[in-house]
Amino acid sequence: MALSAGAIEVTVEYAKGLKDTELFSKIDPYAVLKVGNQTFRTKTLQGAGTSPVWNETFTFNVINENMLEI
């Protein structure tokens, strides 16, 4: 079943318990969101470590997507 045309708003609030891949510094996390051929990326949080807080909102235009993958 395809989604109806319109918009979907997604807020990336935070992440918890990310794997620390750095040996001598904190990680610089970011998140990537995709719907159809639209892609958004949060800001990279320099040195935010394993529990970053973004509170960023993105709006995707949905025309005729058969699958919603975020």
Side-chain angles (χ1 to χ4, degrees):
M1 178 164 127
L3 294 172
S4 300
I8 184 170
E9 194 171 88
V10 178
T11 300
V12 180
E13 293 184 3
Y14 63 91
K16 236 163 83 170
L18 297 177
K19 183 176 179 182
D20 191 355
T21 57
E22 299 292 323
L23 293 176
F24 300 107
S25 63
K26 292 186 176 186
I27 60 175
D28 303 328
Y30 62 89
V32 176
L33 298 92
K34 293 175 89 175
V35 173
N37 63 354
Q38 300 170 84
T39 302
F40 289 101
R41 178 182 155 156
T42 63
K43 295 176 185 170
T44 301
L45 299 179
Q46 300 294 323
T50 59
S51 298
V53 177
W54 290 282
N55 286 321
E56 292 184 48
T57 301
F58 303 94
T59 302
F60 292 94
N61 294 314
V62 178
I63 297 169
N64 187 15
E65 301 295 341
N66 291 324
M67 181 162 63
L68 178 65
E69 182 179 333
I70 297 177

